[in-house]
Amino acid sequence: MALIRLPHSGLVVPTEQVRVTQVSSTDIGTGIAWSGTVRDGRTLLGAFTNGGRGGPTQFQAADDAGARRMREFIAACRTADGDPADEEAVGEALTDEHETSKAIAAAQRRGRTLIRHYDDFDIPGFWESTADPTAPR
């Protein structure tokens, strides 16, 4: 089985068909609570959720088949370092992939390039630039 390294998180997955397709979030005062819908192609598997209070990100299956498919998928995933990925790492990476892809597409629609940066606490953020990274200086 050929594995695929996702471009924004580095997570290594067995297929790009399993992905987060929608994220909703809300600031609860102690953090951001969020939920990300997970699909395998068009099939709903469930959602990754995080309560925003420092707890783990967990998968909530839509049904038994979704739970089974997600267990198989997570077992086949690897971190960017090649280590087995756990449920939380997979959920956060798939959500980051979705959110980053949306941000890139939005910047491109505005004719801009999205540049990722990290703050002093290694938390990622983005800057938009009008520079074209493909154009020679």
Side-chain angles (χ1 to χ4, degrees):
M1 163 185 14
L3 296 175
I4 302 154
R5 183 177 302 273
L6 298 178
H8 309 300
S9 65
L11 182 70
V12 178
V13 298
T15 176
E16 290 178 287
Q17 288 294 109
V18 174
R19 66 197 186 292
V20 168
T21 59
Q22 179 181 358
V23 176
S24 59
S25 61
T26 186
D27 187 340
I28 60 169
T30 58
I32 306 295
W34 60 269
S35 177
T37 302
V38 181
R39 295 185 181 276
D40 184 356
R42 292 184 175 190
T43 304
L44 176 64
L45 300 180
F48 280 106
T49 62
N50 186 297
R53 292 185 170 89
T57 297
Q58 298 177 309
F59 182 69
Q60 305 294 320
D63 55 26
D64 290 342
R68 205 170 26 259
R69 177 67 177 117
M70 206 61 208
R71 275 194 306 274
E72 293 167 357
F73 179 80
I74 292 169
C77 289
R78 298 291 175 263
T79 66
D81 296 330
D83 298 324
D86 62 15
E87 182 175 304
E88 183 167 33
V90 170
E92 292 183 1
L94 291 180
T95 302
D96 287 347
E97 288 291 328
H98 173 76
E99 294 291 286
T100 301
S101 294
K102 274 182 44 181
I104 290 169
Q108 288 174 337
R109 283 192 301 275
R110 291 188 292 274
R112 295 174 176 247
T113 300
L114 202 64
I115 301 168
R116 185 188 336 242
H117 69 88
Y118 293 87
D119 69 11
D120 293 340
F121 301 100
D122 211 26
I123 297 171
F126 298 101
W127 288 316
E128 281 191 24
S129 171
T130 55
D132 181 352
T134 63
R137 291 204 152 206

